[in-house]
Structure formats: C-alpha cells, structure tokens
Amino acid sequence: MREIGIDGKFYYPKEQLTATSLLVEDIEGLPLAPEDERNEIFRLRSEKITKTEIVTSKGAKIELTTDFYI
C-alpha cells in the first residue's frame, strides 16, 4: 500500500524502526503467499489454539500463543 507513509514505508512504533503495510485481497486462500508460510497459516487456523516457543536473535525464549477460536 504505497498510499501510506512515504511510498508505503513509515516509522512505527518509533522513529528508529521502519514499517510497511500491505493489503491481502484473498485472506482465505492466500494464493500469493510463499507455500511454506501459507501451509503454516493453514496449520495454525486448523489447530485453533497453539503455543510455540521462539528463540530471538539474542537467545531469549518467547512463548507465542495464537488463538483463532471464534
């Protein structure tokens, strides 16, 4: 979405970080997503609630919980 910020880029959440925005036209099928990412999204949708441990580049461990139960 190039209409937001400067050619689609803007500072968020602080001036030192640059963010971009995008518009996903087919949120159900995700035909333009890379296959591995699309498969992971479909897996998360099917399991509804998941807990995943993520290790940051600095070695810190973060538990990510996703809840798609609606």
Side-chain angles (χ1 to χ4, degrees), residues 12-54:
Y12 181 83
K14 57 185 178 178
E15 195 169 313
Q16 294 83 3
L17 301 173
T18 303
T20 56
S21 61
L22 63 98
L23 174 65
V24 179
E25 303 254 347
D26 181 357
I27 197 71
E28 293 296 320
L30 303 171
L32 302 178
E35 184 178 2
D36 58 332
E37 293 179 17
R38 183 175 49 250
N39 290 340
E40 179 66 8
I41 292 168
F42 290 161
R43 182 188 70 78
L44 290 170
R45 287 179 183 171
S46 71
E47 293 183 17
K48 304 294 183 195
I49 299 175
T50 63
K51 292 185 186 241
T52 306
E53 186 175 271
I54 298 171

Side-chain angles (χ1 to χ4, degrees), residues 52-64:
T52 306
E53 186 175 271
I54 298 171
V55 180
T56 69
S57 59
K58 295 182 179 180
K61 293 181 181 180
I62 301 170
E63 183 178 86
L64 173 67

